Structures are given as structure tokens and as C-alpha cells.
Amino acid sequence: MTATAARAGRLIDLPVLLVAVVWGSSYLAAKGVTTAQTVLAVLVLRFAVVLPVLVVAGWRRLRALSAAQVRGAGLLGLILAGIFLLETYGVVHTSATNAGLIISLTMVFTPLAESRVRGTRLPGSFMAAAGLSVLGVALLTQGAGFSAPSGGDLLMLGAAVVRTVHVLAMARMESVRGADALSLTTVQLGGAVVVFAVLSAVPGTGASPWAAAADFGAGDWAGLLYLSVFCTLFAFFVQMWAVRRTSPSRVSLLLGTEPVWAAAVGIAVTGDRPGWLGLVGAVLVLVGTAWGRTAADRGRAAADRGRGERGPVTAPGALSPRGKAAEQPPAHDRAAEPA
């Protein structure tokens, strides 16, 4: 690689790394603007800002979706709504550090589930990494001594499981294969917002979007716009830009640093003090998920070579629950994935 190419690669890496930092800080931002009584209202308001921009940006491709693709994306939107709800209620009831690290278990759960679906065996190194990650989460939730995990920790764990379901559903659903990623993301988010709006109208589910908006101060609006503009729109379009200029694997590797930034922001900005057990757990989660991701990719690539198939491509395809792209399924199963 020439010096010029290396410099160009670093210039592409910087905005992608900034996306990982933004995602890592999103837990703190969500925690700052959301209470248990305003979860649904905040979700409606956040995506009311995002959806019109996505619709305008992808209007022509959106109109090109078939009825089957719209139905498939709408169904995925219901799963996506579940992820958003679990994550947002979860972050309200746990620390930003715990939220960012526990949700990273998706990187372990997804290869495990995929191996079951595809009938392949993961290497022993992956299973060791998965065990390390699970041990890390157990220690992370016990920072002040051994006790039952908080409700927020359990909700974040549930969100990681449902995120895995969403990734696999997108990879396996025939109706959404070959559809434009931006259009699928728009339909999914639209479906999720309908769910939030309907739930917010049910008595006893908290403040309405209008009441929450009326009570917002300048800081609340700044936090909401940060989630909408930077954690969703900026992140999505940077990924679309970067993946056309560098390898999908490189983009995925940089985005995989998100848990590191989540922990750094939680500890440095909010003063999260997980205790020595929690710190050991945080390190184990970071090491385990990074090691597991590498081991799973190698094992999957080896299995595909043995069958003469193309290996998996990891690249941004669609927004994940906080507005980010998730890993792509294998190239022959490509489809948009959760935010």
C-alpha cells in the first residue's frame, strides 16, 4: 500500500471511528432525556425527526419496493420496536456503562444462533470467548458485591437476544432479499414508530409525546436532537459513504469499538463506579466479544470455503435500535438489518 493510499484510508477511518464514539455515548444521551414515564414519548419524538429525512433521501427507491417487501419490512419493524423498547427502558434502569457493555453480547449471540440455523459448528476458541463474555457480564452486574442483576441489566440482556432474532430474521426472510437498505430501514422505523404511537395512547403507559415535548427544556431537546441527528442520521450516512470507499470488514472492525466508548463515556462523564468486580467484568466483556467476533468470522469463512460458498460480508445495511447498522448476514443472504 502506498503512503497516499494509507493516508486516504486513515481519512476514511476517522468518521467511521467517530460513529463508534457517538454510538457509545448514545446510552448516556438516552438516559439523560428519558425517564420511565417518557420512554414511548421520547421514541416517537426521536424518530419523528429522523423519518422525514430518510423518506426524502430515499423516496424513489422507497416507491420501488414491492408489496411483499413492504410487508416483510413492516414485520421486521415490529421486532425492531421490541428492541427499542427493551433498550430504552433498560438504559433508564441501569448505568450507561452496563447498558453499552451488555448489549455488545449481540456480537456473541448472533454467531451462536446463526451456527444453529446453518447447521455449522463454531470453533472452540469462539466458545471460550463466549464463556468469557458471559462471565464478564455476570461480574459487571455485581460491582458492589454479589446480588441479583438489576431490572435494567436484564432488559438490556433481553434487547441483545431480540437483536439477534432481528438479524437472523432479516437474513432468512425471502420477501426482503435484494431490497434497498435505506428503503427497508425507513419502512422498519416507520412501523416501529406506529407501535410506539399506539402504545403511548394507551392509558397508564406514560406521558404523551406532546406532553413530554412541552416539558422539555433546552438540554432535553439538545439530547433528543443528538440522538436523532448524530446517532441515527449521521451514523447511517457515514456508513453508506465509508463502505463504498473501504472494505466492509474494516468498517465493521471500527464500529465494533462501540462498547469501549460506552464504558469510557459512562466512567469519565457520569462517574460510573462499577467496583473492582465490575471493572474486571467490563474488561472480560470487551476481550470476549472482540475475540469471539474474530473467531466466529474465521470459523464461518472456513465452513463456507469447505462448501464452496462465499464468506460473510460485514457491512452496514440498515439501522439498528439506536440508529446504527448491524452486521450483515452472509453475502448470499444479504438484507437490511436492525437499528
Side-chain angles (χ1 to χ4, degrees):
M1 179 184 293
T2 67
T4 301
R7 281 196 299 273
R10 285 193 292 271
L11 289 175
I12 294 171
D13 289 348
L14 284 176
V16 177
L17 189 60
L18 181 58
V19 168
V21 175
V22 166
W23 286 349
S25 67
S26 67
Y27 301 97
L28 179 59
K31 194 173 181 67
V33 301
T34 313
T35 69
Q37 295 301 310
T38 62
V39 167
L40 292 168
V42 167
L43 288 172
V44 171
L45 292 171
R46 173 182 173 181
F47 294 110
V49 175
V50 170
L51 275 174
V53 178
L54 294 179
V55 169
V56 171
W59 178 245
R60 293 178 65 183
R61 287 171 289 179
L62 193 60
R63 293 182 63 188
L65 290 177
S66 67
Q69 288 172 332
V70 171
R71 287 193 298 271
L75 179 59
L76 291 170
L78 297 179
I79 304 174
L80 189 61
I83 301 171
F84 277 115
L85 289 169
L86 287 168
E87 279 197 359
T88 312
Y89 277 112
V91 79
V92 168
H93 295 290
T94 190
S95 69
T97 301
N98 280 25
L101 292 170
I102 293 173
I103 199 67
S104 70
L105 287 178
T106 302
M107 290 188 284
V108 172
F109 293 162
T110 301
L112 279 171
E114 185 186 9
S115 71
R116 297 284 297 185
V117 170
R118 301 179 71 191
T120 59
R121 293 187 62 183
L122 289 164
S125 57
F126 175 85
M127 301 309 296
L132 199 65
S133 299
V134 172
L135 175 61
V137 168
L139 293 177
L140 179 67
T141 60
Q142 309 301 319
F146 287 99
S147 61
S150 72
D153 292 335
L154 295 176
L155 287 171
M156 295 306 299
L157 188 61
V161 172
V162 179
R163 234 199 240 192
T164 298
V165 172
H166 187 273
V167 171
L168 293 181
M170 295 195 68
R172 309 299 294 182
M173 286 181 65
E174 294 283 350
S175 61
V176 297
R177 292 185 183 179
D180 173 66
L182 177 57
S183 301
L184 288 180
T185 295
T186 304
V187 175
Q188 287 185 73
L189 287 180
V193 170
V194 169
V195 172
F196 305 145
V198 170
L199 290 177
S200 69
V202 176
T205 56
S208 70
W210 332 117
D215 288 340
F216 273 5
D220 296 317
W221 280 111
L224 185 73
L225 291 174
Y226 178 77
L227 288 169
S228 298
V229 175
F230 289 97
C231 300
T232 304
L233 292 177
F234 169 76
F236 183 82
F237 288 110
V238 165
Q239 290 172 88
M240 291 184 67
W241 169 81
V243 80
R244 290 178 172 87
R245 290 165 175 80
T246 187
S247 72
S249 295
R250 189 177 183 89
V251 172
S252 178
L253 180 65
L254 292 168
L255 296 180
T257 64
E258 177 205 347
V260 178
W261 301 112
V265 169
I267 292 171
V269 177
T270 67
D272 286 348
R273 295 293 180 264
W276 71 269
L277 280 177
L279 289 174
V280 171
V283 172
L284 292 181
V285 170
L286 294 173
V287 172
T289 52
W291 181 21
R293 185 175 191 162
T294 301
D297 285 347
R298 288 175 179 169
R300 205 184 295 118
D304 285 342
R305 282 196 301 271
R307 292 196 299 267
E309 297 180 0
R310 293 176 62 190
V313 176
T314 303
L319 300 180
S320 76
R322 287 184 316 286
K324 63 188 177 187
E327 289 186 44
Q328 286 288 7
H332 50 279
D333 284 341
R334 291 191 65 170
E337 301 201 5

